[in-house]
Amino acid sequence: MKKGHQVTMKEIAKKLGVSVSTISRALKDSPELHPDTKKRIVEMAKEMNYQPNLLAQSLRISRTNTLGVIVPEITSHFFASCISGIQDHANKRGYNVMICQSNETLELEKANIRTLVASQVDGLLISLSRETNQYDHLLDLYNREIPFLLFDRVNEDIPVSRVTFNDEGGAYEVTKYLIKTGCKRVMYVSGPEDLYISKKRKEGYLHALSEFGITADPALVKISDLTTEGNIKVAQEIADMENRPDGVFCMIDPVAIDILTSWKAMGIKVPTDMALAGFTNNPTAAVVEPPLTTVAQPGYEMGKLAVTHLLDQLDGQASDDPISIVLETTLVPRQSTKALQ
């Protein structure tokens, strides 16, 4: 143990293989626990030199009834829907919400966390930026016993609850649809490789290829930085390929829409020359020409489930042990892909 390190209940729980809530009850001498269990926990706490985090306890007792929310960008329709679900259901339970955006940068994400913690929010709901590829700031929150939950863009190594979509399943379904409508060379346009959703959607894409006996071709995976400029660059790279794909699945709708706009300016016809599909079901996807085949993910429902679980943890109605909540997605076929025969 490092000098000056303050042992947490989570560390005791990990050592003994029990839940944090069990540790908490034992240290409060709860009559619900067996005396032998309490004795074992108290002895381990003494052995590890556990000292109660008085600041964290005082903050839990003197609630501000305020939650902090950090999203990559507020202007995104998807994240705006998540925020609506969070705010509506937080308000119903007597909580206010402070909203910050990281503008897709790691440094601003860290600054947002510092600001919200200094404002003494009771808990945080965080969706990671596209730049987030190291997680010390999240581990610091965890070690300080500050309640938080991750949603949509998460990291599986942080031992907190998370709310995600079945990203792999949704990507599998849209890739399968492209193949079943006649595509033989399907490309996946990913976001930064460190992003959870980039990895999971690629897994779904590869699963569909494998199921149809199609060998994965590294040349048919492109990576965009998710900026408009980056998306246009990828559109040009695809157009310049000697052996173009006949179908392209983009990790999110904004990438697909930027590519569609670029291709139209080049005279490339969708879906005649290349079929195109996205993931998110942004409102714009239904009104571009041709309308974009995509995968619908209910942002409002994600926000509702995320805030409900965090508040249940804060109010002692749910265990502090991390859980994974996974929402299903729905394929939305439109005219940017050929119809099933």
Side-chain angles (χ1 to χ4, degrees):
M1 199 72 68
K2 290 180 182 177
K3 186 177 179 181
H5 173 75
Q6 185 169 359
V7 174
T8 67
M9 284 193 283
K10 289 171 182 173
E11 290 171 303
I12 302 172
K14 185 176 181 181
K15 189 89 172 174
L16 292 173
V18 298
S19 70
V20 174
S21 56
T22 299
I23 300 294
S24 178
R25 289 199 299 272
L27 297 178
K28 291 175 184 173
D29 198 24
S30 169
E32 299 173 11
L33 295 180
H34 191 281
D36 290 346
T37 302
K38 281 194 282 189
K39 182 182 177 186
R40 190 162 59 99
I41 290 170
V42 169
E43 286 177 352
M44 180 58 72
K46 287 179 180 175
E47 182 182 322
M48 295 177 70
N49 196 28
Y50 169 76
Q51 300 294 325
N53 187 332
L54 298 178
L55 175 59
Q57 287 182 2
S58 69
L59 291 179
R60 281 194 287 269
I61 294 166
S62 56
R63 292 275 184 91
T64 60
N65 278 38
T66 304
L67 300 177
V69 178
I70 302 172
V71 295
E73 49 180 352
I74 292 171
T75 55
S76 155
H77 176 266
F78 169 70
F79 285 116
S81 299
C82 291
I83 289 168
S84 292
I86 290 169
Q87 197 151 24
D88 286 352
H89 291 273
N91 291 163
K92 284 178 183 177
R93 291 183 56 171
Y95 281 77
N96 294 313
V97 177
M98 294 176 66
I99 301 162
C100 297
Q101 65 175 350
S102 64
N103 283 332
E104 296 282 17
T105 69
L106 174 58
E107 286 310 309
L108 195 49
E109 181 175 289
K110 291 178 178 179
N112 288 338
I113 288 174
R114 288 193 297 269
T115 298
L116 292 169
V117 170
S119 299
Q120 296 189 354
V121 295
D122 296 328
L124 298 103
L125 300 106
I126 304 170
S127 190
L128 304 177
S129 84
R130 66 169 173 246
E131 282 188 4
T132 304
N133 57 11
Q134 57 91 356
Y135 308 97
D136 290 350
H137 57 306
L138 300 177
L139 290 170
D140 179 59
L141 279 181
Y142 174 79
N143 288 328
R144 291 165 64 190
E145 299 182 18
I146 295 172
F148 73 103
L149 173 150
L150 299 174
F151 69 98
D152 188 50
R153 298 192 195 171
V154 306
N155 178 274
E156 294 177 292
D157 295 329
I158 306 297
V160 297
S161 293
R162 58 185 183 269
V163 183
T164 59
F165 291 107
N166 183 357
D167 292 291
E168 182 179 350
Y172 164 80
E173 290 296 335
V174 71
T175 306
K176 182 173 77 170
Y177 185 80
L178 285 165
I179 295 168
K180 290 179 78 172
T181 54
C183 295
K184 307 294 185 188
R185 283 175 52 80
V186 181
M187 171 175 280
Y188 172 55
V189 180
S190 176
E193 292 179 285
D194 288 317
L195 276 181
Y196 172 87
I197 60 174
S198 294
K199 291 183 280 192
K200 288 297 179 184
R201 292 175 192 179
K202 184 178 180 181
E203 287 172 12
Y205 158 78
L206 293 173
H207 178 196
L209 295 186
S210 174
E211 187 172 285
F212 283 85
I214 299 171
T215 302
D217 181 352
L220 291 177
V221 175
K222 294 279 185 186
I223 297 172
S224 171
D225 62 6
L226 305 184
T227 64
T228 300
E229 295 76 15
N231 299 339
I232 292 170
K233 180 174 178 284
V234 168
Q236 186 66 58
E237 288 173 357
I238 298 170
D240 290 343
M241 289 176 70
E242 190 172 323
N243 187 14
R244 287 178 179 172
D246 51 8
V248 177
F249 160 48
C250 299
M251 187 189 83
I252 54 174
D253 286 351
V255 175
I257 291 166
D258 284 343
I259 288 175
L260 176 62
T261 304
S262 297
W263 283 353
K264 286 175 78 171
M266 299 175 201
I268 295 172
K269 294 182 174 60
V270 174
T272 308
D273 297 330
M274 287 184 278
L276 185 64
F279 198 120
T280 307
N281 199 27
N282 282 351
T284 311
V287 297
V288 292
E289 184 54 44
L292 183 69
T293 291
T294 187
V295 176
Q297 50 181 26
Y300 184 93
E301 185 69 11
M302 170 168 273
K304 170 189 168 183
L305 290 176
V307 75
T308 297
H309 183 68
L310 180 62
L311 290 177
D312 284 349
Q313 286 184 317
L314 289 173
D315 293 340
Q317 297 172 25
S319 168
D320 289 333
D321 295 339
I323 65 167
S324 174
I325 299 170
V326 181
L327 287 78
E328 291 302 322
T329 59
T330 307
L331 179 68
V332 183
R334 296 194 180 107
Q335 288 71 50
S336 67
T337 51
K338 295 171 184 175
L340 283 171
Q341 300 301 314

